[in-house]
Amino acid sequence: MGNVAVTFKIMPESPDTDLEKIKKEISKKIEIKDSKIEPVAFGLKSLRVLVVVPDKSIENIENEIRSVEGISEVEVESSTLLSH
């Protein structure tokens, strides 16, 4: 099994939620390769993070992200198998 590059779209509980703080909390659990804060609508922003994980652990990583306070939704936007 190889590694997978996974992009997660993370939605905060409210427009007032500090996405930088969420990113910092996630990075304590998982190494973030890249991240971006993007506007969604009506002042709400989403956080997109790129992580590289072993092929079998995407669900575990998603659960780790969900455990961070202030997150409403976590969605796998894309996943790509990396060659060895």
Side-chain angles (χ1 to χ4, degrees):
M1 293 289 151
N3 286 335
V4 180
V6 185
T7 301
F8 290 99
K9 181 178 181 181
I10 301 163
M11 297 298 295
E13 289 178 342
S14 79
D16 301 326
T17 304
D18 184 352
L19 291 175
E20 287 296 332
K21 182 178 177 189
I22 287 176
K23 181 177 131 183
K24 190 180 290 186
E25 289 300 314
I26 292 170
S27 68
K28 290 178 183 177
K29 300 170 183 255
I30 307 157
E31 183 183 353
I32 296 174
K33 298 293 185 182
D34 192 23
S35 68
K36 186 177 186 180
I37 295 174
E38 296 181 328
V40 177
F42 307 109
L44 187 63
K45 295 178 181 178
S46 68
L47 173 64
R48 283 194 165 83
V49 296
L50 173 67
V51 299
V52 175
V53 296
D55 189 17
K56 295 283 187 182
S57 65
I58 293 174
E59 191 174 313
N60 295 339
I61 299 300
E62 189 173 340
N63 290 334
E64 284 287 322
I65 293 171
R66 284 183 196 280
S67 72
V68 173
E69 189 175 330
I71 293 177
S72 168
E73 256 179 75
V74 178
E75 176 183 321
V76 174
E77 273 203 330
S78 67
S79 62
T80 304
L81 186 61
L82 302 174
S83 58
H84 300 309

